[in-house]
């Protein structure tokens, strides 16, 4: 079963133009905007886990490390 995000994202991929009529893009923007605090908290939890893994001398999960690094320009220090 696809999530609401997945459904909107697929619609945006099918029609990627930036127009007023691209409602899936607007809906996706509202969905992510409404979850902005939760997304920030999720990123911070991932960054904290990576720091904890480093401190404990263990290798962090590769997928988590990649996701945190990709989002670092948005949520990390400037």
């Amino acid at each position: 079963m696809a999530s609401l995000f997945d459904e909107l994202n697929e619609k945006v991929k099918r029609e990627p133009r930036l127009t007023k009529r691209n409602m899936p893009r607007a809906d996706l923007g509202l969905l992510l905007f409404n979850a902005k605090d939760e997304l920030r908290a999720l990123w911070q939890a991932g960054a904290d886990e990576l720091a904890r893994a480093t401190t404990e001398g263990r290798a962090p999960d590769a997928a988590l490390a990649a996701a945190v690094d990709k989002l670092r320009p948005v949520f990390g220090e400037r």
Side-chain angles (χ1 to χ4, degrees):
M1 179 178 217
S3 69
L4 176 57
F5 173 85
D6 292 334
E7 289 176 16
L8 291 171
N9 196 36
E10 280 304 312
K11 288 179 182 179
V12 169
K13 286 179 183 177
R14 285 193 303 264
E15 182 59 49
R17 293 182 294 167
L18 294 172
T19 64
K20 284 187 176 183
R21 291 195 229 185
N22 193 336
M23 289 309 296
R25 181 180 292 276
D27 291 343
L28 185 58
L30 286 172
L31 177 73
L32 294 174
F33 178 79
N34 288 334
K36 67 186 178 300
D37 294 331
E38 293 81 3
L39 290 170
R40 171 69 167 85
L42 181 60
W43 182 86
Q44 188 62 59
D48 291 346
E49 174 56 26
L50 295 180
R52 191 170 26 260
T54 301
T55 301
E56 294 173 358
R58 59 184 168 82
D61 179 80
L64 179 62
V68 168
D69 284 342
K70 286 179 182 176
L71 291 173
R72 192 171 305 283
V74 177
F75 295 108
E77 289 187 37
R78 295 182 83 178

